Amino acid sequence: MFGYHDIPLKIVQEGISLSVQKDRGSLVYKRDCLDEHVEKRLLATNGKILVTPVEPLNKPKALTQYLLVEFEKTLAIEPEGTEKIFLTFPIEIGVYISPDKDSEVIDILTLKRQKFTLYGDPRNGIICKYWKSDIFSTMPSVNPIQEGLMELTIANTNAQWVELTKAVFNAYGMKLHYSNTMVSMKASMNLKTRNRAETDFIDSPLKKGMKKSLEVYAARKMSITAPKFIMEFGL
Amino acid sequence: MILNKVLYHSVTVFDLITAALILIIAAVIAKVLSLYLRRFLKERIAKEHLEIIAKVVSYSIIVIALLMVLPILGVRLSGLLVAGGIVGLTIGFASQSIIGNLISGIFLMIERPVKIGNSVDIDGTTGIVEDISIIATTLRTFDGLYVRLPNQNVFTSKITNFVANVARRFQYVVGIRYSDDADKSLAIIKNLIEEHPLALKNPEPQAFVDNLGDNAVNIIVWIWSPATEWYGVKMELLWKIKQALEKEGIEIAFPQRVVWFANELRGWEGKRTEPRHPNLGENA
């Protein structure tokens, strides 16, 4: 599904039906996914369609730039230890036309149920996209249409054990890569104290040969000054 | 020549024209610069910050122009400082409300209990803050009316800002019949909340039997939602809860009274199938 496609285009896969057809000098884009139907007339005569995983921040509403991944089980890291774990994360699918430097996403869809949560308190906290993930020590297989796989390197710089229940990321800085079998991302988490950590993304694919996604927020040329995030409301 | 004609002291017509020109140019620069700033920073910073920056820049240019113009018009700034106290006192008495609004406006900009774009209730007027100027605060009520509130009123009134915090809680009371299964009802309600994307996972929503009312078992439902979305979620979820409960045979209770007659109604004798009230006895 992911990658560049010529027009006319018809994709039917896992509950997603997506088509781009030429019609009277322009293009007609139609998409059905779950209960959602989208139809658009594109004033373009040709070009290519790029279908790519994008940041999970747009559905059902672009309310936040943060992603909170809650762990199924509490994770304890030994003093001054470094661990590499794998987590799943939600993805959304972006559809672009004539992708180049000035491309604009024409549609975003997702197959996963969406949920928001609050990190911190109602006064000072932040609204985050919510996801719950198991912790894996080796790479699990995931459905690339629905979920991505994150390699998270956790470094405990403290002289004490630190317990982790969640990780929060500034998802505007996500660096997604994809292949036919996997959507991936690399991230790091630096445990500053027992209650404070810094998360960041690493722009590197999980496997060789994976392609770089065209992220929505990078495509919109939003200035991302600090893709890092400081978790200061607890771990 | 008319330009060199002295009007008062050593101020000539030329000085007057120069002063007027400086003020006009300053006003134009202030306007253009604030417009440019609004356009340039529109996508980069929050609207409320943008408005403040634009106003500060605009007012600063005007003040600088005034300071330039006053000596040209023969007004000595050192003299102004001496006379400032007396003038200030006079102005203060003469225009108490304006000065009051102005000072309140400055304090509102510093304290910032409301920001442009916030949904607020100020002194009983509910709406969205459209503008906070140095003299007045403008609201657009939810029914589309323009309301201008003097800053003095705003500053001294009780202000409720509905979106000052990122999340807020709302509540339903769902009354079910005594014959219905409360545990099942709670499970249905919790499941519906879990499925709604904008009902926050944390703080955890709560649903519990709050009291055994006169006509219903009352279930309280507490849901947290993003402050900007809570009203839509509230409107959507209540009807879904009602529909889901009814689908499972659980009905929303309505006020009712069971009336026991001491003497049997004649037309009903022999038709009754339910047992008689035990307190009425056999002869009743």
Side-chain angles (χ1 to χ4, degrees):
Chain A
M1 179 183 230
F2 297 131
Y4 290 95
H5 300 271
D6 289 322
I7 297 169
L9 163 71
K10 175 88 178 167
I11 297 172
V12 180
Q13 194 175 338
E14 291 190 38
I16 300 170
S17 170
L18 188 154
S19 71
V20 183
Q21 304 293 337
K22 291 182 178 177
D23 180 55
R24 286 174 288 165
S26 59
L27 302 173
V28 175
Y29 172 81
K30 286 182 189 173
R31 187 265 289 173
D32 286 288
C33 177
L34 302 177
D35 297 333
E36 206 180 31
H37 173 77
V38 173
E39 190 168 341
K40 289 180 181 178
R41 184 169 283 274
L42 310 169
L43 295 178
T45 47
N46 48 42
K48 284 200 167 191
I49 297 290
L50 172 64
V51 182
T52 180
V54 295
E55 306 94 321
L57 301 174
N58 310 285
K59 306 295 278 185
K61 236 178 173 182
L63 282 181
T64 179
Q65 68 187 77
Y66 303 103
L67 169 69
L68 184 149
V69 180
E70 187 183 356
F71 305 157
E72 282 281 0
K73 290 173 188 157
T74 303
L75 187 72
I77 312 282
E78 65 179 347
E80 294 173 1
T82 302
E83 282 294 326
K84 196 174 274 185
I85 59 164
F86 293 94
L87 301 168
T88 60
F89 66 93
I91 58 154
E92 292 174 9
I93 299 166
V95 183
Y96 295 82
I97 185 163
S98 296
D100 56 30
K101 283 180 184 176
D102 296 319
S103 62
E104 178 71 32
V105 67
I106 54 172
D107 190 22
I108 294 171
L109 55 135
T110 183
L111 285 169
K112 291 306 266 188
R113 192 171 61 84
Q114 307 294 306
K115 196 76 180 165
F116 288 90
T117 191
L118 177 70
Y119 175 60
D121 59 80
R123 176 76 185 138
N124 304 303
I126 49 166
I127 300 290
C128 303
K129 203 63 171 294
Y130 174 83
W131 182 256
K132 194 162 192 170
S133 168
D134 250 325
I135 299 166
F136 304 94
S137 52
T138 56
M139 250 189 259
S141 72
V142 292
N143 183 347
I145 307 292
Q146 300 188 3
E147 297 173 3
L149 189 62
M150 181 199 303
E151 183 191 272
L152 181 65
T153 307
I154 306 168
N156 181 8
T157 54
N158 295 280
Q160 300 158 304
W161 282 82
V162 176
E163 287 196 343
L164 280 176
T165 59
K166 59 179 101 56
V168 185
F169 302 95
N170 180 356
Y172 274 179
M174 279 172 93
K175 312 290 183 198
L176 294 166
H177 293 80
Y178 67 90
S179 68
N180 286 334
T181 56
M182 186 194 287
V183 175
S184 79
M185 175 170 75
K186 279 188 179 179
S188 66
M189 188 178 197
N190 192 358
L191 307 177
K192 302 275 187 189
T193 68
R194 293 187 75 176
N195 295 307
R196 199 162 172 268
E198 184 183 86
T199 59
D200 197 4
F201 294 108
I202 301 159
D203 193 0
S204 167
L206 210 51
K207 284 182 177 175
K208 279 184 180 176
M210 294 184 86
K211 291 174 185 165
K212 178 89 175 73
S213 284
L214 185 61
E215 292 98 355
V216 172
Y217 295 94
R220 284 179 184 166
K221 293 181 180 174
M222 292 193 68
S223 53
I224 302 160
T225 49
K228 290 181 181 181
F229 180 75
I230 305 287
M231 292 175 66
E232 53 188 341
F233 300 116
L235 307 177
Chain B
M1 201 173 162
I2 194 164
L3 287 176
N4 294 327
K5 188 181 176 187
V6 177
L7 295 172
Y8 60 93
H9 300 300
S10 59
V11 178
T12 61
V13 174
F14 178 77
D15 292 333
L16 204 64
I17 292 169
T18 309
L21 275 174
I22 288 172
L23 283 177
I24 290 166
I25 290 166
V28 171
I29 290 172
K31 186 78 182 169
V32 169
L33 205 59
S34 67
L35 268 174
Y36 177 76
L37 274 175
R38 280 191 176 92
R39 278 185 197 163
F40 183 70
L41 298 174
K42 192 178 178 184
E43 301 288 328
R44 289 172 169 81
I45 60 171
K47 198 182 172 189
E48 67 268 17
H49 298 147
L50 176 62
E51 286 299 319
I52 290 169
I53 290 169
K55 275 174 189 161
V56 166
V57 169
S58 180
Y59 290 137
S60 302
I61 291 168
I62 301 288
V63 168
I64 291 166
L66 275 173
L67 292 174
M68 286 168 68
V69 158
L70 288 175
I72 296 170
L73 297 175
V75 180
R76 287 182 184 173
L77 291 175
S78 55
L80 257 187
L81 287 174
V82 177
I86 302 162
V87 173
L89 207 64
T90 315
I91 292 171
F93 277 114
S95 54
Q96 269 186 350
S97 62
I98 293 172
I99 301 295
N101 284 324
L102 194 129
I103 291 167
S104 300
I106 292 166
F107 276 104
L108 278 174
M109 284 180 183
I110 294 166
E111 192 196 342
R112 300 176 71 208
V114 296
K115 295 173 190 169
I116 292 168
N118 285 173
S119 298
V120 295
D121 182 315
I122 302 173
D123 203 16
T125 307
T126 308
I128 295 163
V129 179
E130 291 275 280
D131 190 25
I132 305 168
S133 74
I134 203 87
I135 299 292
T137 297
T138 313
L139 296 189
R140 174 168 44 87
T141 64
F142 292 120
D143 45 356
L145 302 179
Y146 168 96
V147 179
R148 179 185 174 278
L149 297 165
N151 280 340
Q152 205 168 5
N153 292 10
V154 176
F155 193 66
T156 53
S157 297
K158 178 188 158 195
I159 298 173
T160 307
N161 190 332
F162 299 115
V163 293
N165 295 342
V166 291
R168 65 162 293 174
R169 195 186 77 184
F170 60 90
Q171 167 181 312
Y172 300 126
V173 180
V174 181
I176 58 168
R177 297 175 305 186
Y178 271 87
S179 56
D180 291 326
D181 184 345
D183 285 334
K184 191 177 173 186
S185 307
L186 290 173
I188 291 167
I189 293 169
K190 284 177 180 171
N191 188 43
L192 268 177
I193 297 169
E194 178 63 27
E195 280 179 4
H196 200 291
L198 295 171
L200 296 179
K201 185 82 180 172
N202 180 48
E204 197 179 352
Q206 288 186 311
F208 56 92
V209 174
D210 180 56
N211 65 69
L212 304 175
D214 288 344
N215 306 296
V217 174
N218 289 318
I219 294 171
I220 293 272
V221 185
W222 286 340
I223 301 166
W224 284 84
S225 181
T228 51
E229 309 296 323
W230 75 276
Y231 198 66
V233 181
K234 187 177 180 180
M235 284 196 295
E236 192 183 331
L237 259 181
L238 185 58
W239 190 246
K240 282 189 175 175
I241 288 173
K242 191 247 182 198
Q243 285 178 316
L245 289 174
E246 284 185 350
K247 199 176 169 187
E248 294 297 321
I250 297 163
E251 288 187 17
I252 305 298
F254 51 86
Q256 54 182 302
R257 287 283 179 274
V258 177
V259 181
W260 296 94
F261 289 96
N263 295 305
E264 202 71 65
L265 292 174
R266 286 191 182 185
W268 286 75
E269 265 186 64
K271 291 181 182 176
R272 191 188 62 207
T273 53
E274 288 181 15
R276 309 183 74 187
H277 194 285
N279 296 342
L280 296 178
E282 283 301 313
N283 298 326

